[in-house]
Amino acid sequence: GENVEQHPSTLSVQEGDSAVIKCTYSDSASNYFPWYKQELGKRPQLIIDIRSNVGEKKDQRIAVTLNKTAKHFSLHITETQPEDSAVYFCAASIGRGGADGLTFGKGTHLIIQP
Amino acid sequence: DSGVTQTPKHLITATGQRVTLRCSPRSGDLSVYWYQQSLDQGLQFLIQYYNGEERAKGNILERFSAQQFPDLHSELNLSSLELGDSALYFCASTDSLHAAGELFFGEGSRLTVL
């Protein structure tokens, strides 16, 4: 099955700086790559996603890039703010043929230092 | 509010016992996923149901089982509980068979096994 590796496990950045979280996946058939944000004690929520026919996608301060050849994708957060502090999970899905689950990375705890 | 309802929110029980966690998906969603979240393991996919049928299985133990009823709510049954089963159990729903779009998570059921 799919295996998703996520790095780093903890990332501390100064407020206003950029943060980058990287993920690799194992199954070349995966074609859907979402990112979820989980604030302390709350449920995971989708913040951005990208499909395999696109190399980059932006939504205000967040962007995701995908390199299918290398099988890795990254989340970029610019001008970080205190409310960006949370655990971020990347995920990958084959999303075709038979049904499948969404395989998540182990998460990155992003800490925004004031 | 995601529209996904999970009960109970908290559950404390003893080793060897059996518990049932319940999930009501968003109105109109046919697909229900169950995930286990432990401190060091991120979000582990357990099982997926679509319109009453099991469609995908992840790392679900034989002591665990699930079902989806005609009204589309789902239950996750955990038996012969062990200390290591203590975790946050999330249910998520989506309107499609494939995990190729946003999953809407419930608030989770926190299970503590003593």
Side-chain angles (χ1 to χ4, degrees):
Chain A
E2 176 65 276
N3 182 48
V4 177
E5 299 284 338
Q6 183 172 349
H7 300 280
S9 57
T10 304
L11 178 60
S12 181
V13 301
Q14 290 293 123
E15 183 179 347
D17 287 351
S18 295
V20 180
I21 303 170
K22 299 182 180 182
C23 290
T24 60
Y25 60 98
S26 61
D27 193 333
S28 56
S30 288
N31 59 8
Y32 176 64
F33 308 92
W35 287 87
Y36 282 77
K37 176 183 179 182
Q38 186 178 25
E39 296 177 1
L40 188 62
K42 298 194 174 181
R43 61 188 171 88
Q45 291 186 270
L46 180 72
I47 55 171
I48 195 168
D49 56 13
I50 192 168
R51 299 182 192 276
S52 59
N53 58 347
V54 176
E56 183 175 1
K57 184 176 178 180
K58 287 183 180 180
D59 183 3
Q60 298 182 353
R61 295 187 298 108
I62 60 174
V64 58
T65 58
L66 171 65
N67 183 326
K68 285 195 302 180
T69 303
K71 290 191 282 188
H72 68 70
F73 56 114
S74 301
L75 177 71
H76 304 251
I77 305 175
T78 59
E79 300 172 11
T80 52
Q81 300 170 5
E83 54 264 36
D84 294 330
S85 292
V87 178
Y88 291 81
F89 293 96
C90 62
S93 167
I94 296 175
R96 61 169 173 77
D100 63 275
L102 198 58
T103 303
F104 285 86
K106 291 194 175 182
T108 295
H109 186 192
L110 177 61
I111 302 165
I112 307 300
Q113 302 280 5
Chain B
D1 183 9
S2 67
V4 178
T5 304
Q6 288 188 248
T7 58
K9 286 186 168 45
H10 301 277
L11 190 55
I12 301 174
T13 189
T15 55
Q17 295 298 305
R18 172 190 171 94
V19 298
T20 297
L21 309 180
R22 181 188 169 104
C23 169
S24 294
R26 285 190 323 156
S27 177
D29 283 357
L30 299 178
S31 197
V32 170
Y33 294 79
W34 285 97
Y35 283 88
Q36 179 192 56
Q37 185 173 40
S38 318
L39 275 175
D40 60 346
Q41 291 298 318
L43 287 159
Q44 293 284 316
F45 169 61
L46 296 178
I47 198 164
Q48 180 212 2
Y49 279 82
Y50 180 81
N51 202 22
E53 292 187 10
E54 180 187 307
R55 296 307 301 255
K57 242 179 181 177
N59 299 319
I60 188 167
L61 299 172
E62 286 191 10
R63 300 184 285 111
F64 297 180
S65 65
Q67 55 185 328
Q68 186 179 28
F69 295 85
D71 67 353
L72 301 177
H73 90 270
S74 179
E75 292 181 357
L76 179 67
N77 301 295
L78 314 175
S79 61
S80 302
L81 286 168
E82 302 175 358
L83 295 177
D85 297 328
S86 295
L88 189 53
Y89 291 84
F90 282 106
C91 161
S93 76
T94 184
D95 57 0
S96 70
L97 172 61
H98 307 300
E102 183 172 3
L103 293 188
F104 294 88
F105 284 82
E107 298 294 332
S109 291
R110 183 168 296 282
L111 173 65
T112 302
V113 182
L114 300 176

